[in-house]
Amino acid sequence: MTRLNKFLSECGVASRRKSDELIEQGRVTVNGKTIIEFGFQVNESEDDVKVDGERIHHRNKVYFILNKPKGTVTTTDDEKGRRTVVDLIKTNEKIFPVGRLDYNTTGLLLLTNDGEFANHLMHPRNKITREYQVKLDKDLGREDKIKLERGIILERRRSRFTSIQFTDTKNFRSVTVTTVEGRNHFVKRMFHALGYFVKELNRNSYGPFKLKELPVGSYVKLDEKEISKVYDKKK
């Protein structure tokens, strides 16, 4: 027997948190009965589980790294008809992005149908490191660099970059930052808090996954060995 939210997550419907929302909204049925209990247990091989009337099955888990280009929306569909990151990947599976990158932010984006994998990467307690290449509108001052590394108050919370490195010792507008924060617009808002505007933002890595030489707009499929690195506490 498996908890209903875990079953939905493993089937690629959504993360556990989002699955709980679906359950709370009365959109999930088991054997024709609407279930609103978060702890409800299902028999994976026997029970008929549906979301919005659509039968849910276990699916083959797939994982992709996309080098997101500018002008794409990090979502599964867009009401304005703009191109989404899902449109760039050819697969028969119903996939979704792990977290998000802004419309004009580029770089590494993971997409999958594995809700547990996505939840593990995004959950704050796991402190998964992200690395970004940042271009600022002006030179980053030494004192401001120290403040951002030691921590500032952002949204009433002490927030910091794990590290800031200058990409070029003669160019103080181009920096590489690492952080374990996954809050929306975190990098941009951190610099903005000290009077800097982020002109360009590119994510180089997310946990053990790196862009390497992957061309913009291209993607690669990950294998189980690569995915297992996410759960290796030694990494």
Side-chain angles (χ1 to χ4, degrees):
M1 301 292 286
T2 305
R3 283 175 64 97
L4 181 55
N5 65 351
K6 182 180 180 182
F7 174 78
L8 294 175
S9 177
E10 290 178 344
C11 290
V13 175
S15 67
R16 285 199 194 186
R17 184 182 300 176
K18 290 295 183 181
S19 294
D20 281 340
E21 292 179 9
L22 294 175
I23 295 169
E24 185 177 29
Q25 293 163 5
R27 296 167 60 184
V28 182
T29 63
V30 178
N31 301 325
K33 180 181 178 181
T34 299
I35 303 299
I36 58 173
E37 303 167 32
F38 295 144
F40 190 85
Q41 303 275 325
V42 295
N43 186 315
E44 300 179 23
S45 60
E46 297 181 7
D47 288 334
D48 180 28
V49 181
K50 294 181 180 179
V51 175
D52 296 334
E54 180 180 349
R55 184 171 285 106
I56 304 302
H57 303 281
H58 267 295
R59 298 168 179 168
N60 292 326
K61 294 178 181 179
V62 292
Y63 312 85
F64 300 93
I65 285 179
L66 169 71
N67 188 346
K68 178 189 174 297
K70 288 184 178 181
T72 51
V73 186
T74 306
T75 184
T76 54
D77 57 70
D78 182 63
E79 59 183 17
K80 297 181 181 179
R82 294 173 295 182
R83 185 173 59 166
T84 74
V85 291
V86 173
D87 295 332
L88 301 178
I89 296 180
K90 295 180 180 180
T91 178
N92 293 324
E93 300 295 339
K94 187 177 180 180
I95 59 175
F96 56 87
V98 179
R100 61 167 294 156
L101 292 177
D102 296 341
Y103 187 68
N104 284 321
T105 297
T106 58
L108 191 152
L109 183 69
L110 291 158
L111 297 100
T112 185
N113 59 357
D114 184 347
E116 291 297 294
F117 169 77
N119 186 64
H120 181 86
L121 281 171
M122 293 187 293
H123 202 292
R125 71 165 176 263
N126 294 320
K127 297 183 179 180
I128 304 296
T129 298
R130 292 92 156 157
E131 181 184 279
Y132 296 87
Q133 186 64 39
V134 186
K135 287 188 178 180
L136 302 170
D137 63 328
K138 58 184 178 181
D139 291 351
L140 176 62
R142 182 176 179 276
E143 290 185 2
D144 286 338
K145 176 179 181 295
I146 293 173
K147 287 180 183 179
L148 291 168
E149 290 178 321
R150 288 181 176 175
I152 63 173
I153 301 301
L154 186 68
E155 295 179 337
R156 300 181 181 180
R157 291 168 53 183
R158 191 157 191 82
S159 308
R160 60 183 290 268
F161 290 135
T162 307
S163 71
I164 302 175
Q165 300 293 328
F166 289 107
T167 306
D168 185 338
T169 55
K170 296 181 180 180
N171 181 1
F172 299 107
R173 299 187 182 191
S174 181
V175 297
T176 300
V177 303
T178 59
T179 179
V180 295
E181 282 276 5
R183 283 180 278 168
N184 286 345
H185 313 297
F186 179 74
V187 174
K188 292 180 178 179
R189 288 189 291 114
M190 284 286 283
F191 281 109
H192 186 264
L194 296 187
Y196 297 87
F197 174 74
V198 175
K199 298 178 66 175
E200 293 184 23
L201 184 62
N202 183 84
R203 184 156 64 192
N204 299 327
S205 66
Y206 192 157
F209 307 109
K210 302 182 186 303
L211 271 183
K212 297 181 180 179
E213 300 301 320
L214 185 64
V216 175
S218 298
Y219 65 90
V220 292
K221 190 173 184 180
L222 300 169
D223 58 32
E224 291 184 7
K225 183 177 180 181
E226 292 171 298
I227 295 304
S228 67
K229 294 178 182 178
V230 171
Y231 305 101
D232 187 349
K233 295 182 180 180
K234 296 179 181 180
K235 296 293 182 181

Coordinates of all heavy atoms in Angstrom, one line a residue, residues 69-118:
P69 N 16.9 28.6 -23.6 CA 17.2 29.9 -24.3 C 16.3 31.0 -23.7 O 15.3 30.8 -23.0 CB 16.8 29.5 -25.7 CG 15.7 28.5 -25.6 CD 16.0 27.7 -24.3
K70 N 16.7 32.2 -24.1 CA 15.8 33.4 -23.7 C 14.5 33.3 -24.5 O 14.4 32.6 -25.5 CB 16.5 34.7 -24.1 CG 17.7 35.1 -23.3 CD 18.2 36.4 -23.7 CE 19.4 36.9 -22.8 NZ 19.9 38.2 -23.2
G71 N 13.5 33.9 -23.9 CA 12.2 34.0 -24.6 C 11.4 32.7 -24.5 O 10.5 32.4 -25.4
T72 N 11.6 31.9 -23.5 CA 10.8 30.7 -23.3 C 10.3 30.7 -21.9 O 10.9 31.1 -21.0 CB 11.6 29.4 -23.5 OG1 12.8 29.4 -22.7 CG2 11.9 29.2 -25.0
V73 N 9.0 30.2 -21.7 CA 8.4 30.2 -20.4 C 8.6 28.8 -19.7 O 8.4 27.8 -20.3 CB 6.9 30.4 -20.6 CG1 6.2 30.5 -19.3 CG2 6.6 31.6 -21.5
T74 N 9.0 28.9 -18.4 CA 9.2 27.7 -17.6 C 7.9 27.2 -17.1 O 7.6 27.5 -15.9 CB 10.2 28.0 -16.5 OG1 11.4 28.5 -17.1 CG2 10.6 26.7 -15.8
T75 N 7.1 26.6 -17.9 CA 5.9 26.0 -17.5 C 5.5 24.9 -18.5 O 6.2 24.8 -19.5 CB 4.8 27.1 -17.4 OG1 3.5 26.5 -16.9 CG2 4.5 27.7 -18.8
T76 N 4.4 24.2 -18.2 CA 4.0 23.2 -19.2 C 3.1 23.7 -20.3 O 3.0 23.1 -21.3 CB 3.2 22.0 -18.4 OG1 2.2 22.6 -17.7 CG2 4.2 21.3 -17.5
D77 N 2.4 24.8 -20.0 CA 1.6 25.5 -21.1 C 1.5 26.9 -20.7 O 1.8 27.4 -19.6 CB 0.2 24.8 -21.2 CG -0.5 24.8 -19.9 OD1 -0.9 25.9 -19.4 OD2 -0.7 23.8 -19.3
D78 N 1.2 27.8 -21.7 CA 1.1 29.2 -21.5 C -0.2 29.8 -22.1 O -0.4 29.5 -23.3 CB 2.3 29.9 -22.1 CG 2.3 31.4 -21.8 OD1 2.4 31.8 -20.7 OD2 2.3 32.1 -22.8
E79 N -0.9 30.5 -21.3 CA -2.2 31.0 -21.8 C -2.0 32.1 -22.9 O -3.0 32.4 -23.6 CB -3.0 31.6 -20.6 CG -2.3 32.7 -19.9 CD -3.0 33.3 -18.7 OE1 -4.0 32.6 -18.2 OE2 -2.7 34.4 -18.2
K80 N -0.8 32.7 -23.0 CA -0.6 33.7 -24.0 C 0.0 33.0 -25.3 O 0.2 33.7 -26.2 CB 0.5 34.7 -23.5 CG -0.1 35.5 -22.3 CD 1.0 36.5 -21.8 CE 0.5 37.3 -20.6 NZ 1.5 38.3 -20.1
G81 N 0.1 31.7 -25.3 CA 0.6 31.0 -26.5 C 2.1 31.1 -26.7 O 2.6 30.8 -27.8
R82 N 2.8 31.5 -25.7 CA 4.3 31.6 -25.9 C 4.9 30.2 -25.8 O 4.4 29.3 -25.2 CB 4.9 32.5 -24.7 CG 4.5 34.0 -24.8 CD 5.0 34.8 -23.6 NE 4.3 34.3 -22.4 CZ 4.5 34.9 -21.2 NH1 5.4 35.9 -21.1 NH2 3.9 34.4 -20.1
R83 N 6.1 30.1 -26.4 CA 6.8 28.8 -26.4 C 7.2 28.5 -25.0 O 7.8 29.3 -24.3 CB 8.0 28.9 -27.3 CG 8.7 27.6 -27.5 CD 9.8 27.7 -28.5 NE 10.8 28.7 -28.2 CZ 12.0 28.7 -28.8 NH1 12.3 27.9 -29.7 NH2 12.9 29.7 -28.4
T84 N 7.0 27.2 -24.6 CA 7.4 26.8 -23.3 C 8.6 25.9 -23.3 O 9.0 25.3 -24.4 CB 6.2 26.0 -22.6 OG1 6.1 24.7 -23.2 CG2 4.9 26.7 -22.7
V85 N 9.2 25.6 -22.2 CA 10.4 24.7 -22.2 C 10.0 23.3 -22.5 O 10.8 22.6 -23.1 CB 11.1 24.8 -20.8 CG1 11.7 26.1 -20.5 CG2 10.1 24.4 -19.7
V86 N 8.8 22.9 -22.2 CA 8.3 21.6 -22.6 C 8.3 21.4 -24.1 O 8.5 20.3 -24.6 CB 7.0 21.3 -21.9 CG1 6.4 20.0 -22.4 CG2 7.1 21.3 -20.4
D87 N 8.0 22.5 -24.8 CA 7.9 22.4 -26.3 C 9.2 22.0 -26.9 O 9.3 21.6 -28.1 CB 7.4 23.8 -26.9 CG 6.0 24.1 -26.4 OD1 5.2 23.2 -26.2 OD2 5.7 25.3 -26.3
L88 N 10.3 22.3 -26.2 CA 11.6 22.1 -26.8 C 12.1 20.6 -26.7 O 13.1 20.3 -27.2 CB 12.6 23.0 -26.1 CG 12.4 24.5 -26.1 CD1 13.4 25.3 -25.4 CD2 12.3 24.9 -27.6
I89 N 11.4 19.8 -25.9 CA 11.8 18.4 -25.7 C 10.9 17.4 -26.3 O 9.6 17.5 -26.1 CB 11.9 18.1 -24.2 CG1 13.0 19.0 -23.6 CG2 12.2 16.7 -23.9 CD1 13.3 18.9 -22.1
K90 N 11.4 16.5 -27.1 CA 10.6 15.5 -27.7 C 10.5 14.2 -26.8 O 11.5 13.5 -26.6 CB 11.2 15.1 -29.1 CG 11.2 16.2 -30.1 CD 11.8 15.8 -31.4 CE 11.8 16.9 -32.4 NZ 12.5 16.5 -33.7
T91 N 9.3 14.0 -26.3 CA 9.1 12.8 -25.5 C 7.6 12.5 -25.5 O 6.8 13.4 -25.6 CB 9.6 13.0 -24.0 OG1 9.3 11.9 -23.2 CG2 9.0 14.3 -23.4
N92 N 7.3 11.3 -25.3 CA 5.9 10.9 -25.2 C 5.4 11.0 -23.8 O 4.2 10.8 -23.5 CB 5.7 9.4 -25.7 CG 6.0 9.3 -27.2 OD1 5.6 10.2 -27.9 ND2 6.6 8.2 -27.6
E93 N 6.3 11.2 -22.8 CA 5.9 11.3 -21.4 C 5.4 12.7 -21.1 O 5.9 13.7 -21.7 CB 7.1 10.9 -20.5 CG 7.6 9.5 -20.7 CD 6.5 8.4 -20.4 OE1 5.6 8.7 -19.6 OE2 6.7 7.3 -20.8
K94 N 4.6 12.9 -20.1 CA 4.1 14.2 -19.7 C 5.1 14.7 -18.6 O 5.1 14.2 -17.5 CB 2.7 14.0 -19.1 CG 2.1 15.4 -18.7 CD 0.7 15.2 -18.1 CE 0.0 16.5 -17.8 NZ -1.4 16.3 -17.2
I95 N 5.9 15.6 -19.0 CA 7.0 16.1 -18.1 C 6.7 17.5 -17.7 O 5.9 18.2 -18.2 CB 8.4 16.1 -18.9 CG1 8.3 17.0 -20.1 CG2 8.8 14.7 -19.2 CD1 9.7 17.1 -20.8
F96 N 7.4 17.9 -16.6 CA 7.3 19.3 -16.1 C 8.7 19.8 -15.6 O 9.6 19.0 -15.3 CB 6.3 19.3 -14.9 CG 6.7 18.3 -13.8 CD1 7.5 18.7 -12.8 CD2 6.2 17.0 -13.8 CE1 7.9 17.8 -11.8 CE2 6.5 16.1 -12.8 CZ 7.4 16.5 -11.8
P97 N 8.9 21.1 -15.5 CA 10.2 21.6 -15.1 C 10.4 21.5 -13.6 O 9.4 21.6 -12.8 CB 10.1 23.1 -15.6 CG 8.7 23.4 -15.6 CD 8.0 22.1 -16.0
V98 N 11.6 21.3 -13.2 CA 12.0 21.3 -11.8 C 12.3 22.7 -11.4 O 13.4 23.2 -11.7 CB 13.1 20.3 -11.5 CG1 13.5 20.4 -10.0 CG2 12.8 18.9 -12.0
G99 N 11.4 23.4 -10.7 CA 11.6 24.8 -10.4 C 11.4 25.6 -11.6 O 10.7 25.2 -12.5
R100 N 12.0 26.8 -11.6 CA 11.8 27.6 -12.8 C 12.9 28.6 -13.0 O 13.8 28.8 -12.1 CB 10.5 28.5 -12.6 CG 10.5 29.4 -11.4 CD 9.4 30.4 -11.5 NE 9.5 31.3 -12.7 CZ 8.5 31.9 -13.3 NH1 7.3 31.8 -12.9 NH2 8.8 32.8 -14.3
L101 N 13.0 29.0 -14.3 CA 13.9 30.1 -14.7 C 13.1 31.2 -15.3 O 12.1 30.9 -16.0 CB 15.0 29.6 -15.6 CG 16.0 28.7 -15.1 CD1 17.0 28.2 -16.2 CD2 16.8 29.2 -14.0
D102 N 13.4 32.5 -15.1 CA 12.6 33.5 -15.7 C 12.6 33.5 -17.2 O 13.4 32.9 -17.8 CB 13.1 34.9 -15.2 CG 13.0 35.1 -13.7 OD1 12.2 34.4 -13.1 OD2 13.7 35.9 -13.1
Y103 N 11.7 34.3 -17.8 CA 11.5 34.3 -19.2 C 12.8 34.5 -20.0 O 13.1 33.8 -21.0 CB 10.5 35.4 -19.6 CG 10.0 35.4 -21.0 CD1 9.2 34.4 -21.6 CD2 10.4 36.5 -21.8 CE1 8.8 34.5 -22.9 CE2 10.0 36.6 -23.1 CZ 9.2 35.6 -23.7 OH 8.8 35.7 -25.0
N104 N 13.6 35.5 -19.5 CA 14.8 35.8 -20.2 C 16.1 35.3 -19.5 O 17.2 35.6 -19.9 CB 14.9 37.3 -20.5 CG 14.0 37.7 -21.6 OD1 13.9 37.0 -22.6 ND2 13.4 38.9 -21.5
T105 N 15.9 34.5 -18.5 CA 17.0 33.8 -17.8 C 17.3 32.5 -18.6 O 16.4 31.8 -19.0 CB 16.7 33.5 -16.4 OG1 16.5 34.7 -15.7 CG2 17.8 32.7 -15.7
T106 N 18.6 32.3 -18.8 CA 19.0 31.1 -19.6 C 19.7 30.1 -18.7 O 20.0 30.3 -17.5 CB 20.0 31.6 -20.7 OG1 21.1 32.2 -20.1 CG2 19.3 32.6 -21.6
G107 N 20.1 28.9 -19.3 CA 20.9 28.0 -18.6 C 20.2 26.7 -18.3 O 19.2 26.3 -18.8
L108 N 20.8 26.0 -17.3 CA 20.4 24.6 -16.9 C 19.0 24.6 -16.3 O 18.8 25.2 -15.3 CB 21.5 24.0 -16.0 CG 21.3 22.5 -15.8 CD1 22.7 21.9 -15.4 CD2 20.4 22.2 -14.6
L109 N 18.2 23.8 -16.9 CA 16.8 23.5 -16.4 C 16.6 22.0 -16.5 O 16.8 21.4 -17.5 CB 15.8 24.3 -17.2 CG 14.3 24.1 -16.7 CD1 14.2 24.8 -15.3 CD2 13.3 24.7 -17.7
L110 N 16.2 21.4 -15.4 CA 15.8 20.0 -15.4 C 14.3 19.8 -15.6 O 13.5 20.6 -15.1 CB 16.2 19.4 -14.0 CG 17.7 19.3 -13.7 CD1 17.9 19.2 -12.2 CD2 18.3 18.1 -14.4
L111 N 14.0 18.8 -16.4 CA 12.6 18.5 -16.6 C 12.4 17.0 -16.4 O 13.3 16.2 -16.8 CB 12.1 18.9 -18.0 CG 12.2 20.4 -18.3 CD1 13.4 20.7 -19.1 CD2 10.9 20.8 -19.1
T112 N 11.3 16.6 -15.9 CA 11.1 15.2 -15.5 C 9.6 14.9 -15.4 O 8.7 15.8 -15.4 CB 11.8 14.8 -14.2 OG1 11.7 13.4 -13.9 CG2 11.2 15.6 -13.1
N113 N 9.3 13.6 -15.1 CA 7.9 13.2 -14.7 C 8.0 12.5 -13.3 O 7.0 11.9 -12.9 CB 7.2 12.3 -15.8 CG 8.0 11.0 -16.0 OD1 9.1 10.8 -15.4 ND2 7.5 10.1 -16.8
D114 N 9.1 12.7 -12.7 CA 9.3 12.1 -11.4 C 9.1 13.1 -10.3 O 10.0 13.9 -10.0 CB 10.7 11.5 -11.3 CG 11.0 10.7 -10.0 OD1 10.3 10.9 -9.1 OD2 12.0 10.0 -10.0
G115 N 8.0 13.1 -9.6 CA 7.7 14.1 -8.6 C 8.6 14.0 -7.4 O 8.9 15.0 -6.8
E116 N 9.0 12.8 -7.0 CA 9.8 12.6 -5.9 C 11.2 13.3 -6.1 O 11.8 13.9 -5.2 CB 10.0 11.2 -5.5 CG 8.7 10.5 -5.0 CD 8.3 11.1 -3.7 OE1 9.0 11.0 -2.7 OE2 7.2 11.8 -3.6
F117 N 11.7 13.1 -7.3 CA 13.0 13.6 -7.7 C 12.9 15.1 -7.7 O 13.8 15.8 -7.1 CB 13.3 13.1 -9.1 CG 14.5 13.8 -9.8 CD1 15.8 13.5 -9.4 CD2 14.3 14.8 -10.8 CE1 16.9 14.1 -10.0 CE2 15.4 15.4 -11.4 CZ 16.7 15.1 -11.0
A118 N 11.9 15.7 -8.2 CA 11.7 17.2 -8.3 C 11.6 17.7 -6.8 O 12.2 18.7 -6.5 CB 10.5 17.5 -9.1

